[in-house]
Amino acid sequence: MTPFLLISRSIEYESKLRDLLGARLSVVTGELLTLGPESVLKQVTSEPRVALLGPVLSFEETRELARGLTERNPGIGLIVVREQRADLEDWVDALPIHAVLSPLASEEVTVELLNRLTDWLVGTGRASPDDFNAVELEQAPEVRNPVTQTAEEPVGGTGNQLSSDAVDNAPTEAGWLFPPLEPGERSEAIAVVAPKGGQGKSTLSINLAVGLAELAPNSVVLVDGDLQFGDVSVALALEATHSIVDAVAPEAADELVLKTTFTHHPAGFFVVASAPSPELGDAVQPRELGQLITRLRGIFRYVVVDSTPGLGEHTLHVLEHVTDAVFVSNMAVSSLRALRAELTMLTTLGLMPANRHVVLNFSDRMAGLTTKDAAAIIGAPIDLEIPRSPAVVLASNRGRPLIHDEPRDPASRALRGLIARIAREEQPKRKRGLRKGRILEPQ
Ligand SMILES: Nc1ncnc2c1ncn2[C@@H]1O[C@H](COP(=O)(O)OP(=O)(O)OP(=O)(O)O)[C@@H](O)[C@H]1O
Ligand SMILES: [Mg+2]
């Protein structure tokens, strides 16, 4: 029996998958689809346990094939192979599929996905380990066997359980796709900081991640770097099974294990959740936080980091590893003064990130200060103002990001301005690299 089936119109993808799976793969070419899905299904004689549909199949074709295959074998695992496009969510919602895989995904990402799906199929009794072990491997030795490895050595221990849960809870969610960064592709890390608490750091971080995920689906990670009292998961109504503590643990030195510590949000981004308790959060070392950001920059296009108020060692390490810092303050004179001191200190230490964005949050005509006054107190121009709006708290209490909950709210529009500022592809003034700063500790 050949456990994997590919129905595709791309010869190139067919050969890529053959290289990975060898004799475990049977292929039915999509050309037969001109005669209707039934003609294709008749060619499937291999009793596959996992079917990959695509690339270059239409929505209707994919739907009919998924339906036909599931009718024959209700336990089959279905993967749509398709590039990320704006309508992907519609596909995912409407089709009985288990995962989406980019045809451009690296071998590692492809194998990881197959590992997780086969793990889950075996773990839930939909398939037996023998289904995947019957055929000798025909693949390059450096490429890990998608099945025997998972049967004996689950991806990262806890990752095995996570993958099963993930499939159980959200079987149609494209939650495992990490589009690979092309060699040389830029990645940006954005820290959201403020000298005082309650200025809107988490609100900005969340909406920034959501907005950037629209531009780079599943290539954005939001790190809850408020180690003691992080609330990103709560504000997004996410039930994280893993946290930043797992993400910096020695086991997560393996990238596949690291990836199992992320929680997927349906808006197409990942979250590294805060520690389950302040004590555990405290145990995360500043250096580890900095290193985590660097590693995430190798996986994601955008890394957004929420932070603890003030300029403690953790935040300093964060700032040393990011390309952008968003400084946020409300309109209280004490907060504005504190921000001035923060900017001065960072400049003195040589730790000001390459791109700086000063945001005046809770902006309000009734505050007794004008924007000009605020800029004079901070000693720097205000780049963006976000008005005070009741919709912000409402969205947070509903567990929904504001820009999706109330897209027309003035605060949402202002947040869109921040997203555009950071995402703009060609900004002559934008500096790409990390600023050379003080080396705080050897990495
Ligand atoms: N523009 C705004 N208008 C109205 N309410 C806002 C606005 N921005 C933030 N808030 C609300 O203010 C509170 C504090 O915001 P948020 O949690 O984002 O700040 P923070 O800097 O992350 O706080 P902490 O330092 O406690 O982590 C939240 O209840 C949030 O919903
Ligand atoms: Mg916060």
Side-chain angles (χ1 to χ4, degrees), residues 3 5 121 319 343:
L5 166 73
L121 291 170
L319 287 167
L343 297 179

Side-chain angles (χ1 to χ4, degrees), residues 35-48:
L35 305 171
E38 276 309 316
S39 329
V40 173
L41 291 168
K42 272 193 203 133
Q43 301 293 314
V44 180
T45 51
S46 56
E47 294 181 42

